[in-house]
Amino acid sequence: MSERDIQGAFEAHAKFESAGPGAGYEPTANDWEARASVEDGAVTVTVRVPTLSAAVTEHDDVAAVVEDGWFETLELRLADATNVTRADVIDDPSVERTDGEVVFEATIDARPGNAADDALAVVNYVEGTWFEGIIPGYDYRPDVQDLRDRAAGNAQTDRL
């Protein structure tokens, strides 16, 4: 599959838009910064999510031991992120914590006809896994609290 074919698949996909010439593709319906870059027949997926301490309000402190345990658990769970696709993994996922954010990155083989869907599945897995790790009892900043409220509303709607 040529690089131009892979790029065409992303450009035609309803849930991705170009991030600019040579800058890759960004999902249009996700909550955090994510990008899929195409190079040499492979797709590198990068997702940035806040750390637990960056997700809480300035009035709430997360103890270092809680932050470290939260990150270690997230890191272990994100090691499986590429299992949501049948694409071959070229570079194992990396998960790094810097300056209030967690940066996930993995490179997968671009499967013909599935490159954009594979990338989106990885992005959704990372975001969903991050969300599942939110710890109750903290005051979260408005964008994170909005996600929690929407999830609670969806759960109640599903029960009806």
Side-chain angles (χ1 to χ4, degrees), residues 2-73:
S2 78
E3 197 161 313
R4 191 173 294 282
D5 291 337
I6 300 167
Q7 291 169 340
F10 276 95
E11 289 168 9
H13 199 281
K15 294 190 178 179
F16 278 97
E17 62 185 22
S18 175
Y25 302 89
E26 296 174 339
T28 59
N30 289 76
D31 296 301
W32 304 114
E33 181 183 336
R35 182 165 296 172
S37 303
V38 179
E39 188 175 338
D40 298 328
V43 177
T44 299
V45 178
T46 306
V47 184
R48 297 174 183 278
V49 295
T51 60
L52 182 62
S53 59
V56 301
T57 65
E58 60 190 43
H59 307 294
D60 219 343
D61 288 322
V62 177
V65 67
V66 174
E67 178 80 24
D68 290 343
W70 172 87
F71 175 73
E72 289 169 10
T73 301

